[in-house]
C-alpha cells in the first residue's frame, strides 16, 4: 500500500510536468487549431538558457523567472517570424513547419551546447519526507508546488484579467474580436509567448531528473500529447487533469505491469493516445467542434 | 522517327536518368556505389510516403516505423530462418504492406491533425518497441546481415563491361536499382490511372469525392497499404546495404528526414521522391565532409557541426520550402520550364490560345 | 458641416467578384440613416467596407479622416461600433465577458460604471444572465447583448446589420426603441442596414436604397415612406 501511494505521488509530480507542457499545447491549439510539434524542443532550448544563466552564477530563483521571460520573448518572435507569414495556410502545412522548427531547434541546441548530457541543479534536496506513512521526496514536492503555482497563475491570467479575456476572445472569435478593437494579430503572438513560457517550466522542472541534453524532451512531448488528447485538446483544465492521469498511469504501469517495465512506459503513452483518439476523440473535457466567429 | 522526335522531353529525361543510374557503378568507387544505393533506398521509401501524403493527402509521420518493420522482417527471415535474402525483399514488402493496410482502418477515424500526432508518437516509440522482444530482434544489438556475393551472371556481365570484379556492394546497388525502377514504374501507373485519380480527388476534397462515388475508405486504406509496402521494401534493402539492423537506426528523425525529402522533392510528383532522396541523403554527408575539410575550424566545432548541422539545415530548409515553394524542387523546375517554353515558342496565338505547330512534326 | 461618415464612389468586392459599383452616402453627426435593399444588393458589404473587412476603393472618411488602409481594430478604436450580421457574439465567453470586451479599451472607470447601469436598465435580462455563457441566450437576447456591448464601446457611430433578423415583432420593437434612445440621449449616430424597410424608415431620418451595388434611391425617410410607387417597387410593401 505504501509503495502504491508512493507511486501515485511520484505520478502526480511527473503529471505536473506533463500538465505544463500539455497546457502550452492547448493554448496554441485554441489560438490556431494547430498542434505545435516544436513545443518540446522550445522547452528544451529554454532549459538550456536557464542552465547557462545558472552556470554563470545567477541563483536558481532568479534564473527561473528570467528564463520564463526569455522564453516568452522567444515564443513571440517565432510566431511573428515563422508562423505569421503562413497563418492562412492549410493545417498540414503548418504542422510540417512546426516539425521543421523542432528539427531546427534540436540542431541549434546541439550546435550551441553540444550533445554531452549535463546535470541540472534542483533547489530542492533529494531527501525524502515522511507524510502519513508515505515517503515523498522534497524534489517531487517541489515539482508539484512549482507546477501548481504556474498553472494557477495561467488560470488567473486567462480567466480574471482583461488581457486574458482578450487573449481568449482573439483565439476563439477572431473576427468578432477585431470589431471590438482587439489587436487579434498581437494576441496570437502573445499566446505563443505565453505557451512558450509555460512549456519552459516543464523543461526546467524535469531537467534535474532526466539530465539536460538536446533530446531530453522527446519522450516528454509524447506524454504531453497523451495528456492533452486525454483531457481534450481545447481544454486547459483538461490538460491539467490529463497530465495528472497520464503521470499516475505510467508510474503505476511501470511499477505493476511486468511487461511494461521502465522502457515501455512511453508505449503506454502511445497506447493512451491511440485509445482516446479511437474511443472518445474529444477527450474528457473537449467539445465536438470549435466554432469561430 | 517522327514519334521519337515528338515525344515529350519528359520521356527523354527518364531515359537519360535510367542510363545514368545503370552506368554509375562502372565509373565510381564501390564505396560511393553503396552510398548511392542508400540514396535509392531513400527514394523508394519517399515514393511510398509521397503516395500517402502527396497523393492521398494523409499526413503520416511514422513512415520510419514501417521502414524498420521491413528491415527487421528481412533480417529475421534471413538470419533466423536462413532464407535467401533476395527472397525476403518482396515478403518484407508484403508483410509491411498488410500491416500498413491494417493501420489504414483506424486512421480513417482520425482527423488529419490527430493522425499526424498519433503517427509521430508511433515513430518516437518505435525504437523501444523494437528493443523489447530481445530474442526475436536481437534487442539493442540488432541483427547482422551477411551481404551476398554477386551471382555468376552478374559477375561475368560486369567484368565484360568494366574489366573489374564486381563487389557485393555493386551487386546490391543493382538489386536496389532494379527494385527502384520497378516500384517507380508501378507508382507512375498507379498515379496515372483510376487509383491515382481517386486518391487525388480524396486529397482535394473528401466530400466532393464521396459525392462523385469514390470509395473513400477503400482508397485511403489502400494508400496506407501501398505506402507501407514501399517502406517495407526500402527497409529490407536498407538492411542489405548496411549489413545490419538495429533499433537506433530508426529514430523519429528518420521519419522526419523522409518527410523532408518528400516535401523538398515535390509532393504529388513522380520524379520528386528521387530528387528529394538525393537531397535528404547527401546533404548531411556533404556538409560533414566540407566542414572538417576547412582546417581553420577547430575540432570541437567540427564535431558538433557533424551532429547538429544536418538537423539545423533540414529544419531551415523544411520551413523555407513550406513557406515559399510548397511544390518543392519539381514545382520549381516545372514553373521554370514553363516560363522558358513560353519564351522560346513565342506568345502563341492570342485568340485561340493555341501554340504554333511544332516545326518538326509539321 | 462635414458629415460624420462619408462614402464616395466606393467599389468593393470579394476576390474577382465585384459587389459595390460606386456607392456614395453620408451619415451626419448624431443622425440615423438607413440602408435598404434586397438580398445581395451589397448592404452588408458596405458596412464591412467601412470597418475594413473587405477591400475597397474610392473614399471613406470618418470624422474627416480617411479610412483607407486602416486596420479593423484601428477603425473601431476611433469610435465606430459594428454589430455584424449574425451579431458576432462570443459564445465561448459569458454575457459579462462579452460586455467587458465592449468596454475594455476605455479608461474612464466612472463612465463605464454608469454605462453598465444603463445597459442593465435597458436590457434587464442581461443583468439576470450575467454569469451564464452567451451561448445560452435566445436570438433576441443575443441581439440585445450585441447592442449593449456596442453601447459600452461609447462609439460615435454605430453600424447595425439587420438587427431585426429572425426576431419576433415585439422584440424587434423594443430593440428599436433602445436604438432610438441611444441615438437621442447619447448622440450616437446610427447607420442601419435592414430588410425590414418599414421599421427602418420609421426610425431613420434619411434612407438610401441599394440595388445591385449602386444607390438607386435616396432621400428623407418620410418621403420614401410616403411615395406609394417607391414603396411597392423598392421596399416591397
Amino acid at each position: 500500500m505504501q509503495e502504491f501511494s508512493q507511486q501515485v505521488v511520484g505520478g502526480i509530480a511527473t503529471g505536473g510536468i506533463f500538465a505544463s507542457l500539455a497546457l502550452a499545447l492547448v493554448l496554441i491549439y485554441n489560438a490556431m487549431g494547430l498542434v505545435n510539434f516544436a513545443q518540446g524542443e522550445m522547452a528544451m532550448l529554454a532549459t538550456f538558457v536557464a542552465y547557462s544563466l545558472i552556470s554563470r552564477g545567477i541563483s536558481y530563483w532568479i534564473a527561473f523567472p528570467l528564463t520564463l521571460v526569455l522564453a516568452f520573448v522567444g515564443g513571440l518572435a517565432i510566431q511573428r517570424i515563422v508562423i505569421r507569414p503562413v497563418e492562412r495556410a492549410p493545417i498540414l502545412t503548418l504542422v510540417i513547419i512546426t516539425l521543421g522548427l523542432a528539427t531546427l531547434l534540436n540542431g541549434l541546441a546541439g550546435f550551441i551546447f553540444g550533445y554531452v548530457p549535463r546535470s541540472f541543479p534542483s533547489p530542492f534536496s533529494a531527501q525524502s519526507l515522511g507524510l502519513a506513512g508515505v515517503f515523498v521526496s522534497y524534489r517531487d514536492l517541489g515539482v508539484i508546488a512549482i507546477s501548481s503555482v504556474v498553472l494557477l497563475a495561467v488560470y488567473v491570467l486567462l480567466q480574471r484579467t482583461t488581457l486574458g479575456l482578450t487573449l481568449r476572445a482573439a483565439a476563439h472569435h477572431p473576427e468578432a474580436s477585431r470589431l471590438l478593437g482587439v489587436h487579434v494579430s498581437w494576441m496570437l503572438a502573445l499566446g505563443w509567448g505565453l505557451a512558450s513560457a509555460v512549456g519552459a517550466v516543464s523543461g526546467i522542472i524535469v531537467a534535474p531528473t532526466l539530465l539536460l541534453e538536446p533530446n531530453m524532451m522527446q519522450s516528454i512531448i509524447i506524454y504531453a500529447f497523451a495528456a492533452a488528447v486525454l483531457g481534450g485538446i481545447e481544454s486547459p483544465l483538461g490538460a491539467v487533469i490529463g497530465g495528472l492521469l497520464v503521470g499516475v498511469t505510467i508510474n503505476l504501469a511501470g511499477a505493476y505491469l511486468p511487461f511494461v517495465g521502465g522502457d515501455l512506459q512511453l508505449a503506454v503513452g502511445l497506447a493512451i493516445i491511440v485509445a482516446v483518439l479511437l474511443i472518445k476523440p474529444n477527450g474528457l473535457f473537449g467539445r465536438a467542434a470549435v466554432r469561430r466567429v | 522517327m517522327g514519334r521519337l522526335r515528338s515525344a515529350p522531353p519528359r520521356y527523354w529525361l527518364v531515359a537519360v536518368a535510367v542510363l545514368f543510374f545503370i552506368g554509375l557503378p562502372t565509373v565510381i568507387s564501390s564505396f560511393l556505389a553503396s552510398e548511392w544505393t542508400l540514396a535509392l533506398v531513400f527514394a523508394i521509401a519517399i515514393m511510398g510516403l509521397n503516395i500517402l501524403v502527396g497523393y492521398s493527402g494523409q499526413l503520416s509521420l511514422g513512415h520510419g516505423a514501417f521502414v524498420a518493420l521491413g528491415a527487421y522482417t528481412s533480417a529475421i527471415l534471413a538470419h533466423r530462418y536462413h532464407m535467401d535474402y533476395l527472397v525476403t525483399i518482396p515478403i518484407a514488402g508484403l508483410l509491411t504492406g498488410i500491416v500498413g493496410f491494417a493501420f489504414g482502418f483506424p486512421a480513417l477515424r482520425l482527423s488529419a491533425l490527430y493522425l499526424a500526432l498519433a503517427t509521430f508518437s508511433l515513430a518516437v516509440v518505435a525504437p523501444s518497441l523494437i528493443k523489447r522482444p530481445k530474442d526475436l530482434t536481437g534487442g539493442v544489438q540488432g541483427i547482422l546481415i551477411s551481404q551476398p556475393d554477386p551471382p555468376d551472371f552478374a559477375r561475368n556481365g560486369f567484368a565484360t563491361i568494366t574489366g573489374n570484379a564486381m563487389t557485393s556492394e555493386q551487386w546490391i546497388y543493382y538489386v536496389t536499382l532494379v527494385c527502384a525502377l520497378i516500384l517507380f514504374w508501378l507508382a507512375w501507373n498507379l498515379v496515372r490511372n483510376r487509383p491515382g485519380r481517386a486518391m487525388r480527388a480524396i486529397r482535394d476534397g473528401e466530400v466532393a469525392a464521396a459525392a462523385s462515388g469514390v470509395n473513400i475508405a477503400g482508397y485511403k486504406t489502400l494508400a496506407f497499404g501501398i505506402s507501407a509496402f514501399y517502406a517495407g521494401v526500402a527497409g529490407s534493402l536498407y538492411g542489405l546495404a548496411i549489413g545490419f539492423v538495429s533499433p537506433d537506426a530508426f529514430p523519429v528523425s528518420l521519419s522526419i528526414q523522409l518527410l523532408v525529402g518528400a516535401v523538398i522533392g515535390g509532393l504529388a510528383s513522380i520524379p520528386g521522391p528521387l530528387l528529394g532522396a538525393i537531397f535528404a541523403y547527401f546533404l548531411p554527408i556533404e556538409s560533414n565532409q566540407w566542414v572538417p575539410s576547412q582546417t581553420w575550424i577547430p575540432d570541437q566545432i567540427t564535431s558538433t557541426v557533424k551532429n547538429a548541422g544536418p538537423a539545423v539545415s533540414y529544419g531551415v530548409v523544411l520551413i523555407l520550402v513550406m513557406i515559399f515553394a510548397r511544390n518543392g524542387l519539381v514545382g520549381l523546375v516545372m514553373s521554370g520550364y514553363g516560363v522558358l517554353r513560353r519564351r522560346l515558342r513565342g506568345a502563341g496565338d492570342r485568340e485561340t490560345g493555341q501554340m504554333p505547330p511544332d516545326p518538326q512534326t509539321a | 458641416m462635414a458629415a460624420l461618415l462619408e462614402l464616395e464612389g466606393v467599389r468593393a468586392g470579394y476576390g474577382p467578384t465585384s459587389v459595390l459599383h460606386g456607392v456614395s452616402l453620408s451619415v451626419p453627426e448624431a443622425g440615423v440613416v438607413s440602408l435598404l435593399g434586397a438580398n445581395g444588393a451589397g448592404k452588408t458589404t458596405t458596412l464591412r467596407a467601412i470597418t475594413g473587412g473587405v477591400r475597397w476603393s474610392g473614399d471613406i472618411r470618418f470624422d474627416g479622416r480617411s479610412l483607407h488602409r486602416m486596420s479593423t481594430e484601428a477603425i473601431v478604436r476611433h469610435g465606430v461600433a459594428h454589430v455584424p450580421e449574425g451579431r458576432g457574439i462570443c459564445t465561448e465567453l459569458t454575457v459579462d465577458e462579452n460586455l467587458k470586451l465592449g468596454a475594455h479599451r476605455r479608461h474612464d472607470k466612472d463612465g463605464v460604471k454608469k454605462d453598465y447601469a444603463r445597459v442593465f436598465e435597458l436590457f434587464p435580462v442581461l443583468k439576470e444572465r450575467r454569469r451564464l455563457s452567451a451561448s445560452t441566450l435566445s436570438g433576441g437576447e443575443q441581439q440585445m447583448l450585441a447592442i449593449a456591448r456596442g453601447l459600452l464601446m461609447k462609439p460615435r457611430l454605430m453600424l447595425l446589420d439587420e438587427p431585426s433578423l429572425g426576431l419576433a415583432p415585439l422584440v424587434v420593437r423594443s430593440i428599436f426603441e433602445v436604438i432610438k434612445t441611444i441615438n437621442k440621449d447619447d448622440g450616437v449616430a446610427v447607420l442601419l442596414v435592414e430588410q425590414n424597410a418599414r421599421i427602418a424608415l420609421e426610425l431613420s431620418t434619411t434612407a438610401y436604397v441599394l440595388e445591385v451595388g449602386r444607390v438607386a434611391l435616396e432621400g428623407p425617410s418620410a418621403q420614401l415612406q410616403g411615395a406609394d410607387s417607391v414603396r411597392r417597387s423598392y421596399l416591397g410593401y
Side-chain angles (χ1 to χ4, degrees), chain A residues 100 107 115 233 259-260 263 273 278, chain B residues 109 114 121 132 307-308 311-312 315:
Chain A
Y115 287 90
I233 193 97
F259 63 85
V260 170
D263 51 331
I273 293 176
L278 290 182
Chain B
R109 302 189 48 182
Y114 285 152
S121 308
R132 230 345 156 73
N307 289 321
V312 175

Side-chain angles (χ1 to χ4, degrees), chain A residues 119-139:
Chain A
S119 67
F120 190 92
S122 167
F124 307 105
S125 83
Q127 288 179 315
S128 294
L129 170 72
L131 273 181
V134 179
F135 279 103
V136 183
S137 78
Y138 279 110
R139 256 191 210 174

Side-chain angles (χ1 to χ4, degrees), chain B residues 11 72 125 147 168-169 200 237 358:
Chain B
Y11 290 130
Y72 267 89
V125 174
Q147 298 182 306
S168 284
E169 283 144 345
R200 269 187 300 240
L237 290 167
D358 187 326

Side-chain angles (χ1 to χ4, degrees), chain B residues 84-222:
Chain B
D84 183 326
Y85 201 91
L86 292 184
V87 172
T88 68
I89 296 176
I91 299 179
L94 271 168
L95 182 73
T96 313
I98 293 173
V99 171
F101 186 74
F103 263 70
F105 285 101
L108 288 174
R109 302 189 48 182
L110 301 179
S111 75
L113 200 59
Y114 285 152
L115 181 63
L117 202 150
T119 51
F120 180 82
S121 308
L122 175 65
V124 173
V125 174
S128 39
L129 284 176
I130 296 174
K131 284 179 198 163
R132 230 345 156 73
K134 260 191 274 259
D135 301 328
L136 190 63
T137 65
V140 180
Q141 320 277 39
I143 302 176
L144 278 175
I145 297 168
S146 51
Q147 298 182 306
D149 291 322
D152 288 332
F153 76 86
R155 201 196 305 262
N156 294 337
F158 196 75
T160 319
I161 298 179
T162 65
N164 291 329
M166 190 193 224
T167 63
S168 284
E169 283 144 345
Q170 286 159 334
W171 165 238
I172 294 172
Y173 172 91
Y174 280 112
V175 170
T176 307
L177 179 61
V178 166
C179 290
L181 286 173
I182 296 175
L183 290 174
F184 265 69
W185 181 78
L186 270 174
W188 184 64
N189 271 304
L190 186 85
V191 161
R192 276 185 349 149
N193 291 316
R194 178 184 284 177
R197 284 198 296 273
M199 289 180 196
R200 269 187 300 240
I202 294 174
R203 173 197 69 193
D204 294 335
E206 264 187 51
V207 178
S212 316
V214 175
N215 182 354
I216 309 275
Y219 281 109
K220 276 178 115 169
T221 46
L222 184 67

Side-chain angles (χ1 to χ4, degrees), chain C residues 33-185:
Chain C
V33 172
S34 50
L35 187 57
L36 310 171
N39 255 335
K43 313 190 294 295
T44 298
T45 309
T46 308
L47 292 190
R48 297 186 74 200
I50 297 170
T51 47
V54 68
R55 304 190 86 143
W56 54 269
S57 63
D59 199 17
I60 300 183
R61 273 191 302 274
F62 177 72
D63 202 17
R65 176 195 264 106
S66 166
L67 297 186
H68 193 54
R69 288 189 170 285
M70 256 184 148
S71 72
T72 305
E73 298 97 276
I75 296 174
V76 165
R77 287 171 187 209
H78 272 106
V80 181
H82 181 168
V83 179
E85 218 177 1
R87 295 156 209 143
I89 297 296
C90 298
T91 49
E92 292 284 323
L93 308 176
T94 64
V95 168
D96 197 47
E97 286 173 330
N98 270 274
L99 291 172
K100 254 171 112 178
L101 274 177
H104 86 273
R105 297 281 315 160
R106 290 169 63 178
H107 302 293
D108 54 327
K109 283 207 174 128
D110 292 325
V112 171
K113 256 201 203 145
K114 267 207 297 193
D115 285 334
Y116 257 95
R118 275 198 71 213
V119 154
F120 288 139
E121 202 187 342
L122 291 169
F123 303 116
V125 68
L126 294 182
K127 184 168 190 179
E128 279 166 39
R129 294 173 168 251
R130 270 185 100 148
R131 309 235 168 268
L132 299 180
S133 161
S135 57
T136 62
L137 297 181
S138 72
E141 291 162 348
Q142 284 194 358
Q143 188 61 268
M144 295 180 202
L145 176 58
I147 293 180
R149 194 174 62 177
L151 216 157
L152 279 167
M153 292 168 74
K154 213 161 190 61
R156 294 180 57 199
L157 168 67
M158 217 174 192
L159 308 177
L160 294 169
D161 200 338
E162 310 234 22
S164 75
L165 196 60
L167 301 185
L170 269 172
V171 179
V172 171
R173 284 244 155 251
S174 67
I175 286 182
F176 271 69
E177 279 303 315
V178 170
I179 298 176
K180 200 195 290 190
T181 313
I182 297 175
N183 171 253
K184 289 249 169 328
D185 296 350

